[in-house]
């Protein structure tokens, strides 16, 4: 194993393209100067395209969780009632944020590993007309589930005027996102996943419907005031000191996405998902999610006859490959493989081949090459 080599296949942070690293190494510029304004002007259209919106996309220096908190404090008042659809650990984070701001939270728990059911949410809202906001995750990182937020939005709109707020941190820029067309009111994502950047930026966009609520909301907020970000973006600037190095990188990321074409980006992620799932099926190792519910950015595997944590240790020791473990009650019971952002089918073939060796070293009786061959067949059949 090379001392300086780390092969990152966790569901974030994800690997960074060399051209993006070079962009982030540029010398500092004045954050109130023309150069920064010109950069923000160039960045804005690309971000809107990724989000599928005509609205301004706020760029906030902070983690994805800062984006989730931004959504909460801008669209909900203390004492109001909201519904949080929990399909895993990060859906539950919305619950914790809302409770911290004295918001009355109704929780609809979904079995981990399964996607939300829009009809269940519709029925719940019909019985709770006082709910002002519905919170959900798009990709639930902890389980590898991609929730059908387009269908969720339709279901909500049939029975309620509630706003729809979506955590897209672990999938936006890796899966199709049509915020305006689907009727999503607030979409949040972060820089360290499919956006191929280090952690440190969160992006938040709000619909016209949401803006009416935001502008009438007297909930105290300062740094996380979306109105400040929108008003400053309209003048090609930021309300507070921006993370300039990350903005340099973001400009290059958007250039890479444009060059590849967003539809091709989404197809690449779907292909890597299919290759990875085919490999584990061929090896006889169960997956946590169904094919229908599976995310194109992360795959969760639930072994029955070997230790997930010991398996992860072998991959790290032998090949410097980092994959993620389970969270909360799934700790030690699953492992998760990230395939998002700066990741290709070639990378997945490398990972799958190494996984087979690690399984052999762990003592599992498998046929070497069987998983790799299954992934190769998926690739050839595209």
């Amino acid at each position: 194993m090379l001392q300086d080599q780390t092969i990152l296949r966790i569901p974030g942070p994800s690997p960074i393209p060399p051209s993006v690293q070079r962009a982030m190494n540029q010398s500092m510029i004045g954050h109130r100067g023309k150069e920064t304004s010109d950069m923000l002007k160039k960045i804005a259209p690309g971000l809107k395209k990724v989000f599928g919106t005509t609205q301004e996309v706020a760029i906030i220096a902070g983690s994805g969780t800062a984006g989730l908190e931004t959504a909460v404090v801008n669209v909900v008042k203390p004492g109001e009632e909201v519904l949080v659809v929990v399909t895993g650990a990060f859906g539950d984070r919305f619950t914790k944020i809302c409770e911290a701001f004295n918001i009355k939270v109704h929780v609809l728990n979904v079995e981990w590993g399964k996607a939300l059911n829009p009809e269940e949410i519709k029925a719940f809202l019909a019985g709770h007309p006082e709910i002002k906001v519905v919170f959900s995750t798009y990709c639930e990182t902890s389980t590898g589930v991609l929730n059908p937020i387009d269908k969720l939005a339709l279901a909500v709109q049939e029975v309620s005027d509630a706003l729809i707020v979506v955590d897209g941190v672990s999938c936006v820029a890796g899966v199709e996102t049509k915020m305006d067309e689907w009727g999503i009111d607030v979409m949040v994502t972060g820089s360290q996943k499919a956006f191929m950047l280090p952690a440190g930026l969160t992006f938040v966009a709000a619909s016209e419907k949401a803006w009416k609520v935001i502008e009438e909301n007297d909930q105290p907020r300062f740094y996380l005031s979306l109105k400040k970000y929108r008003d400053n973006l309209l003048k090609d600037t930021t309300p507070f000191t921006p993370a300039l190095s990350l903005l340099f990188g973001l400009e290059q990321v958007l250039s890479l996405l444009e060059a590849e074409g967003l539809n091709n980006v989404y197809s690449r992620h779907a292909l890597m998902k299919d290759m990875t799932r085919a490999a584990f099926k061929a090896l006889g190792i169960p997956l946590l999610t169904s094919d229908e519910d599976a995310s194109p950015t992360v795959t969760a595997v639930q072994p029955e006859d070997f230790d997930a944590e010991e398996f992860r240790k072998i991959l790290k020791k032998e090949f410097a490959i980092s994959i993620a473990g389970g969270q909360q009650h799934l700790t030690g019971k699953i492992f998760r493989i990230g395939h998002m952002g700066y990741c290709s089918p070639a990378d997945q073939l490398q990972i799958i081949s190494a996984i087979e060796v690690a399984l052999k070293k762990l003592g599992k009786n498998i046929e070497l090459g069987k998983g790799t061959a299954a992934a190769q067949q998926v690739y050839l059949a595209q």
Side-chain angles (χ1 to χ4, degrees):
M1 185 175 81
L2 298 175
Q3 291 300 308
D4 289 344
Q5 185 178 53
T6 296
I7 301 173
L8 206 55
R9 285 293 169 262
I10 60 176
S14 62
I16 300 168
S19 65
V20 174
Q21 289 187 328
R22 290 192 296 271
M24 291 189 296
N25 284 335
Q26 293 178 67
S27 299
M28 281 296 100
I29 58 177
H31 66 281
R32 297 298 177 215
K34 183 177 183 301
E35 299 97 330
T36 299
S37 290
D38 288 345
M39 178 167 55
L40 288 168
K41 199 180 298 185
K42 285 178 67 178
I43 284 170
L47 269 182
K48 290 178 182 180
K49 191 172 181 181
V50 172
F51 271 68
T53 187
T54 60
Q55 300 295 322
E56 299 301 322
V57 181
I59 306 169
I60 303 170
S63 69
T65 302
L68 304 186
E69 185 166 322
T70 298
V72 170
V73 298
N74 279 273
V75 302
V76 193
K77 299 176 184 177
E80 286 187 333
E81 298 188 31
V82 303
L83 172 63
V84 178
V85 183
V86 177
T87 54
F90 291 93
D92 192 47
R93 184 161 297 182
F94 263 136
T95 302
K96 292 180 171 65
I97 294 169
C98 289
E99 289 174 345
F101 287 95
N102 297 314
I103 294 161
K104 184 175 179 181
V105 182
H106 298 273
V107 176
L108 183 62
N109 284 302
V110 178
E111 182 183 346
W112 284 35
K114 296 187 182 301
L116 61 81
N117 182 338
E119 291 303 313
E120 286 184 9
I121 294 160
K122 190 164 132 183
F124 192 95
L125 289 173
H128 297 82
E130 66 281 0
I131 286 172
K132 301 292 185 184
V133 182
V134 176
F135 293 94
S136 176
T137 53
Y138 192 176
C139 170
E140 176 49 66
T141 323
S142 64
T143 61
V145 161
L146 191 75
N147 282 308
I149 59 167
D150 52 343
K151 295 175 183 176
L152 164 69
L154 283 174
V156 171
Q157 290 155 7
E158 285 182 23
V159 295
S160 173
D161 288 327
L163 296 179
I164 302 153
V165 177
V166 174
D167 165 6
V169 171
S170 63
C171 65
V172 171
V175 301
E176 185 175 58
T177 304
K178 295 183 176 180
M179 180 179 158
D180 290 355
E181 182 179 323
W182 295 342
I184 305 301
D185 293 299
V186 179
M187 177 67 77
V188 180
T189 194
S191 56
Q192 76 277 20
K193 308 277 187 175
F195 268 96
M196 304 183 286
L197 287 163
L201 292 180
T202 184
F203 312 108
V204 187
S207 69
E208 289 291 344
K209 180 180 175 182
W211 275 115
K212 291 176 183 176
V213 173
I214 292 167
E215 287 166 348
E216 295 173 1
N217 187 2
D218 56 7
Q219 164 76 282
R221 65 262 197 199
F222 182 75
Y223 184 73
L224 301 181
S225 168
L226 274 179
K227 190 172 185 302
K228 289 177 181 169
Y229 287 91
R230 181 196 61 181
D231 292 349
N232 277 269
L233 276 173
L234 293 173
K235 296 181 286 187
D236 302 315
T237 187
T238 58
F240 308 105
T241 304
L244 279 171
S245 293
L246 291 172
L247 290 184
F248 291 148
L250 175 60
E251 184 179 12
Q252 177 58 20
V253 164
L254 293 170
S255 176
L256 293 175
L257 294 177
E258 180 70 22
E260 185 176 357
L262 284 177
N263 287 336
N264 292 328
V265 172
Y266 304 149
S267 295
R268 171 167 53 84
H269 282 79
L271 176 59
M272 292 188 292
K273 173 197 75 172
D274 292 343
M275 290 170 65
T276 305
R277 294 180 67 82
F280 282 102
K281 289 177 183 178
L283 294 169
I285 301 171
L287 296 156
L288 180 64
T289 63
S290 68
D291 289 345
E292 183 183 8
D293 293 346
S295 170
T297 58
V298 54
T299 295
V301 184
Q302 190 171 30
E304 295 176 336
D305 57 0
F306 64 90
D307 187 278
E309 292 304 297
E310 188 60 30
F311 170 71
R312 290 176 61 219
K313 288 177 184 175
I314 292 173
L315 270 182
K316 180 78 169 177
K317 179 182 177 183
E318 297 287 337
F319 300 110
I321 294 173
S322 293
I323 62 172
Q327 295 179 304
Q328 296 186 22
H329 68 276
L330 291 181
T331 300
K333 297 178 180 178
I334 68 168
F335 56 87
R336 296 172 295 140
I337 302 168
H339 34 81
M340 67 180 80
Y342 188 56
C343 184
S344 72
D347 294 316
Q348 287 311 99
L349 289 174
Q350 175 196 36
I351 297 301
I352 292 163
S353 179
I355 280 171
E356 291 181 323
V357 175
L359 289 170
K360 275 287 191 182
K361 281 187 165 283
L362 198 60
K364 184 165 175 61
N365 183 24
I366 63 161
E367 179 185 337
L368 283 175
K370 194 171 183 180
T372 305
Q376 290 170 332
Q377 289 297 332
V378 171
Y379 181 83
L380 289 169
Q382 67 176 309

